[in-house]
Every structure is written in C-alpha cells, then in structure tokens.
Amino acid sequence: EVQLVESGGGLVQPGGSLRLSCAASGFSFSNYWMNWVRQAPGKGLEWVASIKPEGSDRFYVASVRGRFIVSRDNSKNSLILQMNSLRGEDTAIYYCARDQGKRFVPGWFDAWGQGTLVTVSS
Amino acid sequence: DIQMTQSPSSLSASVGDRVTITCRASLNIRTYLNWYQQKPGKAPKLLIYASSTLQSGVPSRFSGSGSGTDFTLTISSLQPEDFATYYCQESFSTPLYTFGQGTKLEIK
C-alpha cells in the first residue's frame, strides 16, 4: 500500500525556520517526482514545490522561492521541505504528494499524505 | 503564469441530481487537466487525470471532458458521499502546477 506520512509541523514565530519531512513507503520512491502542496485555513490548494527523482532539479512557486528548499533522501525514502524566513501567510497544512509526471510529461498527484499543520505566529 | 478559474464557487444540489463543474484555463492547456475531491479534514483525492481518464477505484458516475481552455467535471447522479470540495489542476506547466480556487458542493 502506498503511504505518505508528513511530520515536523508546529508553531513558529515570523522569521523563523521549520523542517518538514514526508516518509514514503509502498512504492519505489526514487522513481517519482514528488511535490509539496499547501492549504491555508479555509482556503484552496496551492502547489509549493516539486523535485526530480534524482533530486537535481527543483521548482518552486514564486512566493516561496529563495526561502524554501525542497530536497530528498532516496536511501531513506524521505522528502524534505526546509522553510526559512517564515511569514504569517505561510500558515497552512502542508501535504506531500506523489507525481505521475516526468520532466516534460504532464502529471497528476495520485497519492497524498495526511498533511502537517504549520502555524506562523508571534 | 496560467490562471485556473472554476465556476461556480459553490453549488447546492440534491442526492440523485446531475451536477457539472466548470474549469477554465487562461491559455490553451490541451488536455492537461486533473480533478480532485477533498472532504473536510482530509487530503485531496485524485478523481480524473488528463481531462477524461478516471482514476482507478473512482465510481463511474464521475466523468471529465474538455480540451484547450474549457473543461467540465460531471457527476451523473449525486450520492451522499459526493458532497465535498472539488479542485481542478493544470499540468501543462509540469513540473509547476496551478490549482483552481475550488467548488464547494453542498446538500440542498
């Protein structure tokens, strides 16, 4: 069974940092693009970042570029989101999601974790 | 950047109704359009990908169509478990993505 389990969320002050993890199981993690998607309280879904299977290519939504870093450890089947210089508008549930796409082949997110809540507040 | 606009933003319907949700892209995205269902407190669930392909395990009352800039998600006969929020997502910009703002389907 495909499983994605996020962890690392919590309360952090504006300007602070937080590291989210997503543990993957039940599939060949190293073969898939992976993504982070967030959802602010009462709002819609926003794609945040994606990373190539080998980890060499990474892409970000404009609002987090330069502050967030997505990485992966294929030996541990783990996806990471390092979030720095956090702002109130980063408050959201953060989901990791498996992508069926390739670099130039459009994909879709067929597996999602349960999400982890990040709250940025003083 | 591609903009995705869903309509309506909310919709009231009854069990057994046929319901259609529309998603419009700001430019031609061919058939690179996916649909998700999200229930309160839960993660999104993939329903349809590439405009019209039903994800494995999804009931056949769900269908998708469209190409270019205009797409629809249709539920042929609403069931109680279908009341949720629905999102479209363009994948033309892979590996970047944009979601629509969502359509909340409520019980009338």
Side-chain angles (χ1 to χ4, degrees), chain A residues 8-11 18 20 39 41 91-94 115-119:
Chain A
L11 175 63
L18 209 57
L20 305 184
Q39 186 169 36
T91 294
I93 297 171
Y94 285 74
T116 187
L117 177 62
V118 172
T119 303

Side-chain angles (χ1 to χ4, degrees), chain B residues 61-81:
Chain B
R61 62 181 180 272
F62 290 93
S63 63
S65 64
S67 65
T69 60
D70 294 317
F71 301 86
T72 58
L73 171 70
T74 299
I75 309 172
S76 60
S77 179
L78 269 175
Q79 299 302 300
E81 61 267 29

Side-chain angles (χ1 to χ4, degrees), chain B residues 18-56:
Chain B
R18 179 183 180 89
V19 167
T20 297
I21 297 169
T22 297
C23 180
R24 176 163 289 174
S26 59
L27 54 82
N28 185 343
I29 60 170
R30 297 165 66 178
T31 57
Y32 300 133
L33 191 285
N34 309 316
W35 290 98
Y36 299 86
Q37 176 194 66
Q38 187 180 34
K39 296 181 179 179
K42 300 294 186 182
K45 172 189 173 184
L46 176 68
L47 296 177
I48 287 168
Y49 60 92
S51 180
S52 61
T53 303
L54 201 64
Q55 170 71 349
S56 175

Side-chain angles (χ1 to χ4, degrees), chain A residues 33 35 37 39 43-47 50 59-60 65 95 99 101-110 112-114, chain B residues 1 32 34 36 38 41-46 48-50 55 87 89 91-92 94-102:
Chain A
W33 283 76
N35 296 266
V37 176
Q39 186 169 36
K43 302 297 184 182
L45 302 172
E46 180 182 38
W47 170 80
S50 64
F59 300 85
Y60 302 93
R65 197 173 296 130
Y95 297 99
D99 191 338
K102 310 296 182 188
R103 177 61 176 92
F104 294 109
V105 177
W108 50 89
F109 299 172
D110 68 335
W112 297 67
Q114 84 289 350
Chain B
D1 291 2
Y32 300 133
N34 309 316
Y36 299 86
Q38 187 180 34
K42 300 294 186 182
K45 172 189 173 184
L46 176 68
I48 287 168
Y49 60 92
Q55 170 71 349
Y87 294 93
Q89 175 204 36
S91 57
F92 181 82
T94 295
L96 288 74
Y97 296 92
T98 303
F99 289 92
Q101 82 278 15

Side-chain angles (χ1 to χ4, degrees), chain A residues 31-90:
Chain A
N31 289 345
Y32 289 86
W33 283 76
M34 294 296 295
N35 296 266
W36 288 98
V37 176
R38 68 184 178 184
Q39 186 169 36
K43 302 297 184 182
L45 302 172
E46 180 182 38
W47 170 80
V48 173
S50 64
I51 185 167
K52 191 177 180 180
E54 301 81 5
S56 50
D57 288 353
R58 313 170 194 201
F59 300 85
Y60 302 93
V61 68
S63 58
V64 309
R65 197 173 296 130
R67 300 188 299 122
F68 289 12
I69 299 172
V70 60
S71 62
R72 62 194 297 162
D73 184 340
N74 287 341
S75 69
K76 296 180 179 179
N77 292 341
S78 179
L79 177 70
I80 303 295
L81 186 66
Q82 177 67 42
M83 304 187 295
N84 302 319
S85 303
L86 282 161
R87 307 166 180 167
E89 55 264 36
D90 297 317

